[in-house]
Amino acid sequence: RNCATAITTTDLVYKSGAIEVEIDNRTVTLGGMCKGSGMIHPNMATMLGVVTCDAEVDQALWQKMLKQAVDESFNQITVDGDTSTNDTVVALASGKAGNARIEEENSADAKLLQSALTALCQGLGKSIAWDGEGANVLLAVNVQGAKTKEDARVIARSVTTSSLTKSAIFGQDPNWGRIAAAAGYAGPEFDVEMLDIKLGATKLMEKGQPLEFDAAAASAYLKSQIDVRGTVDICVVVGDGPGSGVAWGCDLSYDYVKINAEYTT
């Protein structure tokens, strides 16, 4: 805790986590900590992350696992759209757990370790977005039906980065147009006539057409999540392809401008 606190800057809280899994009848523990609150945008950002693990694993495979985990976590978060030149994620594996050495990427043990590492990094990454400068709520954008996984990730990042979408979340405005626009200008092509958008449990758009919906209920959903620093879920379907991806961000509030207008280095 002391170390996780010591590396914070404009963070409001320290960020750490741990996961245990059983591999080769041994308990393998993964722990991590990170810092970051502003100037957060892929590829990584003004952030530091350290992961430790006691599994016995091939070094090259461990590096590959870390790259995959980072691509699905730290590289899928944004606070303000500003990428920094200074970022690091380091993963250490001591081998102290005493399990048989993991060398085959497609083995059950490797897949289990990969899932644990990815889950830990996602938890840490989401904690950065949740604690974004001036943020009141975590924004989770799930994109489905894209042509590829990377297309889905790009679209999800575009929606979470959109200043207009983020401002609408802060203003408790269920603005489907801003979400649709951010998905459309993301880059990957999709058929607009297959575009569906859902905010929480409320469907805002179906097959490219806006729907009649209970705006008061949708706005109340946003307020309910903001009041408890919860999570606003947005689901965007862009077709019937196999690609899916998630990105995490936060709302854009008056306090973000205040913090960065007054903060200097």
Side-chain angles (χ1 to χ4, degrees):
R1 176 175 177 175
N2 290 342
C3 186
T5 302
I7 62 175
T8 60
T9 49
T10 56
D11 308 59
L12 296 180
V13 296
Y14 72 89
K15 303 169 177 71
S16 63
I19 292 178
E20 286 187 348
V21 292
E22 292 295 318
I23 294 179
D24 189 32
N25 295 317
R26 304 296 178 94
T27 298
V28 170
T29 304
L30 299 91
M33 65 178 182
C34 63
K35 62 80 60 181
S37 185
M39 208 172 183
I40 301 295
H41 189 68
N43 290 309
M44 298 202 295
T46 309
M47 56 153 287
L48 299 173
V50 178
V51 173
T52 59
C53 174
D54 56 7
E56 177 67 42
V57 56
D58 176 76
Q59 182 178 354
L61 179 57
W62 182 239
Q63 177 65 42
K64 190 172 184 178
M65 287 181 173
L66 177 62
K67 177 64 167 60
Q68 180 176 325
V70 168
D71 282 345
E72 296 183 15
S73 58
F74 295 115
N75 280 344
Q76 287 296 111
I77 63 171
T78 184
V79 167
D80 46 21
D82 276 306
T83 299
S84 170
T85 57
N86 306 298
D87 54 28
T88 298
V89 172
V90 175
L92 309 174
S94 68
K96 295 296 185 180
N99 60 287
R101 185 177 179 85
I102 301 172
E103 297 179 323
E104 297 298 326
E105 181 179 358
N106 293 319
S107 67
D109 288 347
K111 290 179 179 179
L112 180 57
L113 184 60
Q114 177 71 75
S115 66
L117 178 60
T118 299
L120 177 62
C121 289
Q122 286 181 340
L124 293 172
K126 286 191 285 186
S127 72
I128 291 177
W130 175 83
D131 189 35
E133 290 175 345
N136 299 281
V137 73
L138 179 69
L139 175 60
V141 177
N142 187 326
V143 174
Q144 301 173 4
K147 293 178 181 177
T148 67
K149 177 185 287 189
E150 184 56 28
D151 280 358
R153 288 177 179 173
V154 169
I155 295 169
R157 288 199 302 265
S158 182
V159 175
T160 55
T161 304
S162 166
S163 294
L164 288 175
T165 298
K166 291 154 62 71
S167 298
I169 299 300
F170 172 67
Q172 301 164 27
D173 174 17
N175 195 311
W176 57 265
R178 297 181 180 185
I179 299 169
Y185 64 59
E189 294 184 358
F190 61 87
D191 185 350
V192 69
E193 293 185 356
M194 299 188 73
L195 178 63
D196 295 352
I197 296 174
K198 188 163 70 170
L199 175 66
T202 302
K203 201 161 193 179
L204 308 181
M205 175 176 278
E206 185 173 43
K207 298 189 182 305
Q209 295 298 316
L211 300 174
E212 290 187 9
F213 63 92
D214 188 336
S219 180
Y221 164 70
L222 294 174
K223 183 178 186 302
S224 70
Q225 296 306 307
I226 289 172
D227 286 347
V228 297
R229 289 188 69 88
T231 302
V232 168
D233 290 302
I234 295 176
C235 181
V236 179
V237 178
V238 295
D240 56 7
S244 63
V246 184
W248 298 273
C250 58
D251 60 328
L252 178 59
S253 72
Y254 308 133
D255 286 340
Y256 177 84
V257 177
K258 186 175 187 295
I259 290 167
N260 284 281
E262 297 176 352
Y263 181 84
T264 186
T265 55

